Amino acid sequence: MPRAIVLRAPGAADVLRIEAVTVADPGAGEIRLRQLAIGVNFHDVYVRSGLYQTLPLPGIPGIEGVGVVEAVGPDVTNVAVGDRVGYISPQYGAYAGVRLLPAAQALPLPSSLSDAAAASVLLKGLTAEMLLRRVHRVEAGQAVLVHAAAGGVGRLLCQWGAALGATVIGTVGSEAKAAVALAAGASHAILYRDQDVAAEVRRLTGGRGVDVAYDSVGATTFDGSLDSLATFGHLVNFGQSSGPVPPFAVARLSPKSASLTRPLIFHYLADAARRAEMAAALFAVLESGAVTAEVARTFPLSDTAGAHALLESRDLAGPIVLLPEPADL
Ligand SMILES: NC(=O)c1ccc[n+]([C@@H]2O[C@H](COP(=O)([O-])OP(=O)(O)OC[C@H]3O[C@@H](n4cnc5c(N)ncnc54)[C@H](OP(=O)(O)O)[C@@H]3O)[C@@H](O)[C@H]2O)c1
């Protein structure tokens, strides 16, 4: 029997334990995937901790993976047995050796991307595409603030934002992470555990502020992001790695005619044509070398708990990928 990580109740990382599971034959419109690599995302931490109650329990967490199609159900025409595909799925189930997936969610991958690289960059890279090209259209000459700039999504925002001609100001939790953000194209790195972010942003922008602040840290950074905006600036809150943002008075936007958005990648990927366009844009910047897929650490699927503990520790810069072992398949 294949194995998967089954979440039975929310809790700390050690609730993530591997179990034998049965995987049925694919039904209409479904495929069965033998997984090659699985992306670990901060979303998975929110699900495991209980902050998000979007996975019915007991359930198999995980929203991103790469695998080979083992079997196809009736009515599947977009992929065939033997194809290698990637996916991002709001139906969860990625923390598994073998899984069923709606065929419509399968994305063809360029052969230049290894399995682990693809699992490290699909969700995070499509999120960067959504943020830089759709939620706010970053133009050359704009000033952009990126929190957690050495993280999975953050590093891609630095690379892609700089490639678009923006001046990227990154915030990071350590000197080592500052070096990562600067190497990725940030012009400046603020140590946000020690420095006043808004004061630093004003100093670095000659008092003007940034056109857009990409904030995935939430509770500890939200006020600083708002205070960092230029007139007409746009605050994009897209995560809460430090905790949820407390209730917010809309009138706080008026001193700068600022705007606030709270996008979710699944909404942007729901339309197949838009998803294909976003993936093509991501694969093009990867192909050009302007953006790079870098795997910071791999863990065996059986040690997903170790992967979550490391992600939450803030000690790592960059993406973690889980690799199924023969016993999981
Ligand atoms: N809205 C969407 O559709 C969407 C899609 C994808 C990702 N996201 C969000 O994007 C963010 C980044 O995701 P990721 O998977 O790439 O993770 P990540 O950035 O690699 O890891 C999170 C980083 O947040 C920082 N952080 C600040 N306070 C923290 C705290 N109290 N606990 C833990 N980390 C803290 C840490 O960097 P420092 O050490 O530098 O502080 C940490 O490395 C997450 O908030 C995620 O939910 C949202």
Side-chain angles (χ1 to χ4, degrees):
M1 267 163 90
R3 301 196 301 174
I5 300 291
V6 180
L7 181 66
R8 297 197 165 272
D14 61 3
V15 298
L16 296 169
R17 295 194 199 101
I18 200 145
E19 295 183 16
V21 293
T22 47
V23 182
D25 287 333
E30 283 185 331
I31 56 177
R32 193 172 69 226
L33 278 186
R34 178 169 45 82
Q35 301 221 101
L36 301 165
I38 299 154
V40 176
N41 293 285
F42 223 89
H43 178 102
D44 309 343
V45 172
Y46 306 142
V47 170
R48 191 215 70 222
S49 70
L51 178 66
Y52 287 1
Q53 293 176 6
T54 40
L55 171 68
L57 302 184
I60 301 173
I63 50 178
E64 174 181 36
V66 171
V68 171
V69 179
E70 267 191 346
V72 299
D75 308 329
V76 172
T77 53
N78 60 322
V79 286
V81 170
D83 286 355
R84 185 183 75 134
V85 298
Y87 65 87
I88 296 164
S89 177
Q91 272 86 41
Y92 295 96
Y95 284 6
V98 178
R99 70 162 300 168
L100 297 178
L101 184 80
Q105 291 173 3
L107 269 173
L109 297 172
S111 56
S112 53
L113 265 187
S114 72
D115 305 330
S120 77
V121 82
L122 261 191
L123 186 134
K124 297 168 187 75
L126 292 176
T127 300
E129 202 275 352
M130 165 188 86
L131 295 169
L132 295 165
R133 292 167 39 105
R134 294 168 199 273
V135 176
H136 180 97
R137 199 161 179 93
V138 169
E139 311 280 356
Q142 289 190 345
V144 174
L145 178 64
V146 174
H147 287 297
V153 178
R155 194 186 61 85
L156 298 173
L157 286 173
C158 290
Q159 288 188 320
W160 204 334
L164 290 169
T167 299
V168 179
I169 301 173
T171 69
V172 287
S174 67
E175 293 283 2
K177 289 188 176 186
V180 171
L182 293 170
S187 303
H188 312 279
I190 299 172
L191 293 169
Y192 59 180
R193 287 166 132 174
D194 309 322
Q195 293 177 287
D196 177 334
V197 171
E200 277 302 296
V201 166
R202 275 195 295 278
R203 186 180 70 76
L204 294 167
T205 58
R208 180 179 173 275
V210 292
D211 298 280
V212 58
Y214 292 117
D215 189 339
S216 66
V217 175
T220 59
T221 49
F222 185 85
D223 288 345
S225 296
L226 197 56
D227 291 344
S228 297
L229 295 179
T231 303
F232 304 124
H234 185 178
L235 169 48
V236 183
N237 171 250
F238 69 103
Q240 54 265 307
S241 51
S242 69
V245 177
F248 166 78
V250 173
R252 289 180 64 198
L253 297 172
S254 68
K256 290 174 179 165
S257 290
S259 55
L260 169 67
T261 48
R262 207 315 181 184
L264 190 61
I265 187 68
F266 293 127
H267 294 140
Y268 286 79
L269 298 179
D271 177 75
R274 182 169 49 224
R275 188 181 60 217
E277 199 180 283
M278 293 170 72
L282 172 62
F283 297 148
V285 287
L286 287 167
E287 190 64 37
S288 77
V291 171
T292 54
E294 283 167 31
V295 180
R297 266 293 291 274
T298 61
F299 282 81
L301 176 64
S302 54
D303 190 20
T304 301
H308 272 229
L310 180 60
L311 181 58
E312 286 177 287
S313 74
R314 303 174 71 170
D315 286 343
L316 189 73
I320 300 174
V321 170
L322 302 172
L323 300 175
E325 296 174 296
D328 305 325
L329 303 173

